[in-house]
Amino acid sequence: MKFSIERAALLKAVSQAQSVVERRNTIPILANVLIEADGSHVSFRATDLDIEVVDKVDAHVEQAGATTVSAVTLHEITRKLPDGALVQISDDAALGRLIVQAGRSNFSLATLPKEDFPVMSSSEYSANFSAKAPALRRLFDKSKFAISTEETRYYLNGVYFHIAEGEEGRMLRAVATDGHRLARVDTELPTGAEAMPGVIVPRKTVGEIRKLLEDDDAVIAVSVSETKIRFATPEITLTSKVIDGTFPDYQRVIPSGNTRKLEVDASEFARAVDRVATVSSERSRAVKLSLDEDRLVLSVNAPDAGAAEEELAVAYADEKLEIGFNAKYLLEIASQVDRENAVFMFNSSGDPTLMREGNDTSAIYVVMPMRV
């Protein structure tokens, strides 16, 4: 195998590959990237047995072939090469070495046989459809903060990606919850997605997909089966197993009878929460919201550290209410608001609170209160 490739193209492909690779693994081949050169393309394939990413890059291929080499080492070398360098890569099968040359730099890296590299079996997908990158990015970006990190409730360790009945008919929906807060985000249903089974996309996969969705003009081919999900652009294909579990009935926890309405400037609110939370102990981080006509007082009382209070002018016309929340949860939810105003719907100090952006119901958030 012998080919030459632009440093920038190599870096992009190898950085995608090395982020999938598990740093701590007991199977040496899983630390490697499979490099396959053929025609005018080179593909870089990496896997941790749950996710597989294949990045296809244009290159000048002199001799077709394939081998595997440490993904992290190749990434570090490429990262440190000068901008604009032309990188020449060849393998010496007799010595079991991969030769990387750029300018006056010369590296010889240990390889492992390509035959040992595990390739994820392709499955039959029950739904295949295309979606615009910004629509998918919004679904995952706005919901991922609520993914649970608790391993015992493994079925909450991802985003539930499914079709649901929205206010305007059937929608493509992403939901994540950890039991304390919940995010539900809708977008219009793409053609061909009607038969899509509901799947739980793992946290790590959600992070990796994000890299495919950077380009606003990109159209992503999505394929879904009961056990796998695949996202593909012409250059990159990311295939992942989905979490084998049943996502709970989240509709039950979304309050529908909350009538007390607070409207507040989202960024102003987030900054105020952040300021008053500075004095609270990390452990509880509870912020009290005291609501009265058109005024909100945020306060924190941490006996060991001190107290803080800040008043905001808001739109609120209901009876007085005092309610407490975890400051981190409030900040994360407020940071999802793209418009100016966040609308909070309360019931009582012990009931879940609903938050949305203005009158837009395509993204709603639920947060459980805390005793303060």
Side-chain angles (χ1 to χ4, degrees):
M1 177 180 79
K2 190 176 183 185
F3 64 91
S4 49
I5 184 170
E6 290 284 338
R7 180 233 178 214
L10 179 62
L11 183 60
K12 188 165 176 282
V14 183
S15 61
Q16 179 93 33
Q18 66 93 32
S19 69
V20 167
V21 165
E22 260 324 313
R23 297 297 168 108
R24 301 180 300 277
N25 64 57
T26 50
I27 310 168
I29 193 80
L30 291 182
N32 282 16
V33 56
L34 172 63
I35 304 171
E36 297 171 295
D38 191 22
S40 60
H41 297 103
V42 177
S43 67
F44 296 83
R45 185 187 300 261
T47 185
D48 66 358
L49 298 182
D50 289 324
I51 305 175
E52 179 186 79
V53 67
V54 184
D55 206 332
K56 205 171 176 186
V57 189
D58 288 340
H60 177 63
V61 179
E62 288 179 45
Q63 199 177 334
T67 189
T68 83
V69 69
S70 164
V72 174
T73 310
L74 184 58
H75 176 253
E76 281 301 291
I77 287 170
T78 310
R79 196 173 62 78
K80 291 170 183 175
L81 290 174
D83 276 348
L86 184 68
V87 186
Q88 289 174 321
I89 294 178
S90 57
D91 76 325
D92 188 327
L95 293 172
R97 287 280 184 266
L98 184 78
I99 313 300
V100 181
Q101 292 171 300
R104 295 180 183 179
S105 304
N106 204 323
F107 303 87
S108 170
L109 308 177
T111 61
L112 287 172
K114 62 179 186 293
E115 293 75 21
D116 296 352
F117 194 87
V119 173
M120 200 179 266
S121 62
S122 57
S123 63
E124 285 293 313
Y125 292 102
S126 49
N128 296 282
F129 59 93
S130 293
K132 292 195 169 91
L136 288 175
R137 188 170 67 217
R138 179 175 175 272
L139 283 180
F140 288 110
D141 274 5
K142 283 185 172 292
S143 57
K144 67 184 178 190
F145 75 91
I147 295 174
S148 173
T149 52
E150 207 180 296
E151 296 304 325
T152 49
R153 298 163 81 193
Y154 65 93
Y155 48 84
L156 297 182
N157 294 163
V159 170
Y160 183 36
F161 189 55
H162 62 298
I163 291 165
E165 284 298 332
E167 288 184 3
E168 294 170 17
R170 300 183 82 206
M171 312 292 276
L172 186 60
R173 177 174 287 177
V175 176
T177 183
D178 63 359
H180 302 291
R181 61 256 163 95
L182 176 144
R184 190 198 81 189
V185 191
D186 290 350
T187 192
E188 61 185 64
L189 188 65
T191 309
E194 296 79 13
M196 178 182 123
V199 292
I200 306 170
V201 184
R203 186 193 311 109
K204 182 175 175 181
T205 306
V206 170
E208 291 301 324
I209 294 165
R210 188 64 182 74
K211 295 166 191 168
L212 273 72
L213 307 177
E214 293 290 351
D215 180 4
D216 283 353
D217 299 325
V219 174
I220 313 295
V222 184
S223 305
V224 188
S225 74
E226 296 283 352
T227 56
K228 289 201 183 101
I229 188 162
R230 187 177 70 196
F231 296 86
T233 66
E235 295 81 35
I236 303 172
T237 304
L238 188 142
T239 311
S240 169
K241 291 179 183 173
V242 297
I243 292 173
D244 182 12
T246 306
F247 201 79
D249 178 9
Y250 61 87
Q251 298 283 22
R252 285 188 308 114
V253 299
I254 297 176
S256 55
N258 289 13
T259 54
R260 299 178 178 181
K261 180 180 175 184
L262 160 72
E263 200 160 339
V264 59
D265 181 297
S267 55
E268 216 173 89
F269 175 76
R271 285 195 294 269
V273 170
D274 199 20
R275 281 193 290 269
V276 296
T278 313
V279 300
S280 81
S281 58
E282 261 314 313
R283 200 175 62 255
S284 67
R285 297 281 282 186
V287 174
K288 182 161 86 174
L289 277 60
S290 305
L291 286 154
D292 205 346
E293 194 172 336
D294 289 347
R295 111 185 230 273
L296 164 66
V297 176
L298 297 162
S299 59
V300 169
N301 191 7
D304 53 336
E309 192 175 285
E310 182 161 341
E311 191 176 316
L312 287 177
V314 296
Y316 182 76
D318 289 281
E319 55 208 82
K320 287 184 180 179
L321 174 70
E322 288 195 345
I323 187 166
F325 294 104
N326 179 313
K328 177 172 173 273
Y329 297 166
L330 277 187
L331 284 172
E332 285 179 336
I333 284 180
S335 70
Q336 303 308 317
V337 179
D338 298 326
R339 307 175 183 212
E340 271 186 30
N341 284 358
V343 173
F344 289 86
M345 302 297 291
F346 302 100
N347 186 27
S348 75
S349 60
D351 292 315
T353 293
L354 188 86
M355 197 279 276
R356 62 171 195 256
E357 305 179 40
N359 294 320
D360 182 7
T361 53
S362 70
I364 62 168
Y365 308 93
V366 179
V367 60
M368 298 298 288
M370 272 176 90
R371 276 212 184 93
V372 282

